[in-house]
Amino acid sequence: MNDIILLKQGEIILKGLNRGAFERKLIENIKRRLSPIGKFKIYTMQSTVYIEPLGQCDMAAALDAARTVFGAVSVTRAAACEKDKDAIVEAAATYLESSLKAANTFKVESKRADKRFPMSSISLSQYVGGELHEKFPHLKPDMHNPEFMVNVEVRDMAAYVHGPAMRGAGGLPVGTGGRMVTLLSGGIDSPVASYMMAKRGVTLIPVHFYSHPYTSVQAKEKVIELSNILSKYCGRFKVELIPFTRIQEEIRNSCPEELLTVIMRRFMMRIAERIAKFHGCSAIVTGDNLGQVASQTTEALAVSEQCVDIPVFRPLIAFDKREITDIAQMIGTFETSILPYEDCCTVFTPRRPRTKPKLPDVQAAEELLDIENLIEDAIRCDS
């Protein structure tokens, strides 16, 4: 009886002729995620990824890591055994002993992927259930609401016994959805937006704007910590740090106060587009949420993105703050996001920002700025 981890594929099974490429990327991502934990044999058959330890490995840590890899809808540890009804009973009784002793009711659910196996799924469930009841007399069968579910899967190479599977990360493997730049601030929203785009298979290049000395070193370190947390889900996640102080000061000194925020955001978009093209990215991701602040009205968002030629994706556009916070807590970014360090977006905040800016007014104000040199200086300082 061997301890193994099973991952069930989700949307990948719908990919037709491209499915192989998605599966290869999923396995590549799993290998990279598990490499600090130990050595594993990882392969896929029949819409399932098998993770077999090679030598001594921390299987609990491997299971936790596997749950963060996009592309699998469920993850579970299982015992592999011979495809024999009595071997399956023995594996279930031994591997699931503590759970079976703790439960009062149970059910056996069998799936027979290997149709050469002589028993039907129903017959196998009945046999294993009867034998387990003999071994654990206190257990009562309950077909509708059991306290514990015993799962039996008969597959090509072996039979597998496990308890209830845990929910996987879902989505598509990172690296199958193209490359995008994501604007990563120190707040709650942008890490969640990054997570959600990575869940659709997107490889992300995070960009953070900082305004020293108006923002502190701790604010920058906070963003780096957020990127480290996100890397569990997003893969390699190296932040591009862009100095933004000079641009903000020039905007403050030259432009109408009520347009400061929208002009600042247009500079962010322009710089993000330059970085995107340098890295071969096709779009920009932001944490914008419609109506949350003055710069996130329909009119302000439209003006903000008018200055770039690539798409701007806003995965949180229709979420309310509670929904965003729930996801932030789930992925582990919330506690870091709420640390009280300033963000460049709070520097030089206008007292009465214009919520419905007009593009001609914004463009007229920008004519007072040396846009190209300001952008080049910021990018040059980063490099």
Side-chain angles (χ1 to χ4, degrees):
M1 181 175 66
N2 299 317
D3 200 5
I4 191 171
I5 295 174
L6 304 178
L7 285 80
K8 300 300 175 67
Q9 296 176 14
E11 295 178 53
I12 294 176
I13 65 175
L14 305 175
K15 294 304 176 182
L17 297 177
N18 294 322
R19 179 172 170 177
F22 282 81
E23 290 181 334
R24 286 191 293 274
K25 180 58 70 172
L26 174 59
I27 290 176
E28 176 186 321
N29 292 346
I30 294 170
K31 286 180 178 178
R32 183 169 59 247
R33 187 72 183 90
L34 298 187
S35 61
I37 298 172
K39 293 184 178 181
F40 298 86
K41 179 182 178 182
I42 304 173
Y43 56 96
T44 181
M45 291 191 306
Q46 297 179 314
S47 304
T48 299
V49 177
Y50 299 78
I51 303 175
E52 295 182 8
L54 300 176
Q56 291 295 320
C57 296
D58 186 341
M59 292 297 283
L63 182 68
D64 288 341
R67 292 182 65 192
T68 66
V69 179
F70 292 125
V73 293
S74 68
V75 183
T76 187
R77 284 177 67 174
C81 65
E82 183 183 349
K83 290 188 286 186
D84 171 80
K85 63 181 182 179
D86 293 318
I88 292 170
V89 170
E90 187 60 33
T94 303
Y95 191 70
L96 304 174
E97 180 179 11
S98 60
S99 297
L100 291 169
K101 285 182 176 179
N104 294 309
T105 60
F106 81 116
K107 177 184 177 180
V108 178
E109 185 78 35
S110 299
K111 294 180 181 179
R112 189 176 58 116
D114 182 359
K115 302 305 180 184
R116 297 169 298 177
F117 189 74
M119 301 176 72
S120 68
S121 297
I122 294 176
S123 297
L124 180 59
S125 293
Q126 291 173 338
Y127 180 79
V128 174
E131 292 297 308
L132 289 178
H133 182 59
E134 290 291 326
K135 293 177 178 292
F136 303 91
H138 72 285
L139 281 175
K140 295 181 180 179
D142 185 339
M143 300 299 105
H144 302 290
N145 190 30
E147 289 184 26
F148 186 73
M149 178 76 76
V150 176
N151 293 279
V152 177
E153 301 184 37
V154 181
R155 296 185 165 270
D156 283 351
M157 297 177 60
Y160 303 90
V161 175
H162 60 86
M166 293 180 289
R167 185 173 179 176
L172 296 170
V174 171
T176 60
R179 295 164 64 85
M180 300 181 189
V181 159
T182 184
L183 302 188
L184 187 64
S185 72
I188 297 172
D189 298 348
S190 61
V192 174
S194 300
Y195 164 86
M196 293 184 68
M197 292 307 297
K199 188 174 183 178
R200 301 313 304 160
V202 175
T203 299
L204 295 170
I205 306 294
V207 174
H208 175 68
F209 297 92
Y210 67 95
S211 298
H212 181 77
Y214 302 105
T215 58
S216 64
V217 174
Q218 291 92 333
K220 190 189 300 186
E221 291 174 347
K222 172 183 174 181
V223 171
I224 294 173
E225 175 60 23
L226 285 171
S227 72
N228 290 334
I229 296 170
L230 286 170
S231 67
K232 293 192 305 182
Y233 303 95
C234 304
R236 298 184 180 95
F237 211 61
K238 183 178 180 295
V239 184
E240 300 271 1
L241 297 169
I242 304 296
F244 207 54
T245 307
R246 185 186 170 204
I247 291 174
Q248 288 184 290
E249 290 177 338
E250 290 291 328
I251 296 171
R252 178 196 60 182
N253 295 336
S254 304
C255 300
E257 182 186 8
E258 67 271 17
L259 296 178
L260 293 184
T261 302
V262 69
I263 294 174
M264 177 190 72
R265 290 180 63 81
R266 283 165 63 86
F267 269 92
M268 289 180 174
M269 289 293 182
R270 292 182 178 107
I271 293 171
E273 183 181 43
R274 301 283 181 95
I275 295 172
K277 291 180 178 179
F278 178 80
H279 287 286
C281 300
S282 59
I284 298 169
V285 179
T286 79
D288 291 323
N289 174 250
L290 187 62
Q292 183 171 242
V293 294
S295 62
Q296 294 177 356
T297 63
T298 302
E299 295 84 356
L301 292 174
V303 171
S304 295
E305 71 175 45
Q306 181 277 337
C307 59
V308 297
D309 296 324
I310 61 176
V312 179
F313 292 157
R314 299 179 172 94
L316 306 183
I317 196 68
F319 281 43
D320 62 34
K321 199 65 177 183
R322 182 174 181 177
E323 292 171 316
I324 298 170
T325 298
D326 287 345
I327 298 174
Q329 291 174 329
M330 180 190 74
I331 65 177
T333 57
F334 180 75
E335 294 299 329
T336 302
S337 291
I338 63 174
L339 291 174
Y341 301 128
E342 59 285 305
D343 183 86
C344 78
C345 293
T346 63
V347 177
F348 310 136
T349 303
R351 289 166 294 181
R352 293 185 178 180
R354 192 179 299 181
T355 59
K356 296 182 179 181
K358 304 296 184 183
L359 182 59
D361 295 339
V362 173
Q363 290 174 325
E366 288 180 336
E367 289 181 0
L368 302 171
L369 302 169
D370 188 349
I371 294 175
E372 189 62 28
N373 279 335
L374 288 171
I375 291 173
E376 288 296 329
D377 283 349
I379 294 176
R380 191 181 305 116
C381 287
D382 172 60
S383 61

